[in-house]
Amino acid sequence: MIITPGIIDAVILVGSLGLFCGLVLSIAAHYLSIRENPQIEEILNLLPNANCGACGYTTCRDYAKAISTGAESASLCKMGGPETAQKIAAYMGIESPVEERKVAVVLCAGDDSAAKRKFLYNGIADCAAANLIGGGDKVCPYGCLGLGTCDRVCPVGAIEITSARLAVVYPEKCIGCGLCVSACPRHLIKLVPADRTIHVLCSSRETGAQVREKCSVGCIGCTLCTKITDAIKMDGALAIVDYDKPLTDEAVILKCPQHTIQKRIGMMAQKP
């Protein structure tokens, strides 16, 4: 191959243009680039980096960015809890609001030994899917289907589906993220103050006679519990706990003829 002066000139020209363009781009990147707020990395180091989504953001970095701009408070990280919130607040020089710790509770005690089923469901192991098939296989239209939709969204393994197909929450592990509350198609899960341990484990809105036919531990609306404490009130035919009021009198547990009112305080006590 014969290299002519014209080819050499062309190579030099192209090389010079490439070098010039590269230099311009390098200078532009240096002066025009948007530098990330260094606070983001510092905040990120204080977060658990679990990317669980419980704060409402997809990743911990996204949440850290929101904190750095003042768009969010430092108390949204459920997994990190108050300790993490205080560390971030101290770093940012802001006040960290003291929030009451809340945990989830499944307001149903109707497992396979107590609640009747109307057919054998053999479909997708998902409560939302089962609920679309004839309203689920449980006769009670308000009962826990026990197929683990809530369990699968829990980022800390605080929910277990028992062998009798009932979801139970271990309060000592629960971080109160609320993901299970949103996931339950029957809206049976509620976030309550962590120091409340006595619950009415039923969500049925049916009459006492209807409940008796379908579940041996369902609330029949007898009102006996409401005569003992004002922390339990009637909502139609269903007794419900007013979690804004303290409830420590265990007489309500003994008085309940259906054993619907139960005390659940920890992992061993939770298992039915």
Side-chain angles (χ1 to χ4, degrees):
M1 179 179 178
I2 300 175
I3 301 177
T4 64
I7 294 176
I8 295 175
D9 291 342
V11 171
I12 292 174
L13 177 61
V14 171
S16 299
L17 285 173
L19 181 63
F20 175 75
C21 290
L23 182 62
V24 170
L25 289 173
S26 177
I27 294 173
H30 178 75
Y31 287 101
L32 300 179
S33 63
I34 300 175
R35 297 184 180 181
E36 188 174 64
N37 186 340
Q39 286 184 327
I40 296 174
E41 202 65 37
E42 294 296 331
I43 296 171
L44 192 60
N45 290 334
L46 297 174
L47 291 169
N49 285 279
N51 297 322
C52 65
C55 62
Y57 290 85
T58 305
T59 66
C60 289
R61 179 172 288 276
D62 291 336
Y63 177 42
K65 288 180 181 178
I67 296 174
S68 69
T69 61
E72 289 290 4
S73 72
S75 60
L76 295 185
C77 181
K78 303 300 183 181
M79 186 168 288
E83 184 179 350
T84 294
Q86 289 170 8
K87 288 180 180 179
I88 295 174
Y91 169 72
M92 294 293 293
I94 58 177
E95 288 189 12
S96 175
V98 179
E99 296 186 357
E100 185 178 32
R101 179 173 177 260
K102 291 190 175 183
V103 297
V105 60
V106 181
L107 296 178
C108 177
D111 62 13
D112 281 346
S113 67
K116 296 179 180 179
R117 295 193 178 271
K118 54 189 175 184
F119 59 83
L120 178 62
Y121 175 76
N122 196 29
I124 300 172
D126 177 77
C127 297
N131 201 43
L132 295 175
I133 309 299
D137 61 346
K138 186 169 281 188
V139 176
C140 175
Y142 300 91
C144 173
L145 295 173
L147 292 173
T149 301
C150 55
D151 174 30
R152 286 188 288 275
V153 300
C154 180
V156 293
I159 303 177
E160 180 185 6
I161 306 302
T162 69
S163 58
R165 286 183 62 181
L166 181 70
V168 293
V169 179
Y170 300 146
E172 67 271 36
K173 297 176 67 176
C174 179
I175 58 174
C177 65
L179 294 178
C180 58
V181 176
S182 302
C184 178
R186 292 194 163 185
H187 312 293
L188 303 177
I189 307 177
K190 183 175 182 177
L191 289 179
V192 303
D195 61 354
R196 303 296 195 271
T197 59
I198 298 177
H199 312 285
V200 177
L201 298 180
C202 181
S203 299
S204 177
R205 299 290 172 171
E206 297 185 317
T207 66
Q210 291 173 315
V211 171
R212 283 183 185 275
E213 292 178 357
K214 300 172 182 179
C215 182
S216 63
V217 293
C219 176
I220 57 174
C222 67
T223 73
L224 291 176
C225 54
T226 63
K227 294 177 173 60
I228 298 175
T229 175
D230 63 353
I232 299 180
K233 57 186 180 181
M234 298 304 297
D235 184 4
L238 176 66
I240 61 172
V241 176
D242 182 353
Y243 289 102
D244 290 330
K245 298 178 180 180
L247 176 55
T248 58
D249 191 348
E250 296 187 18
V252 294
I253 300 174
L254 300 174
K255 197 70 174 178
C256 179
Q258 292 288 99
H259 307 292
T260 309
I261 303 177
Q262 298 181 22
K263 184 173 185 178
R264 296 195 164 183
I265 57 175
M267 188 170 291
M268 297 306 295
Q270 281 284 75
K271 290 189 176 183

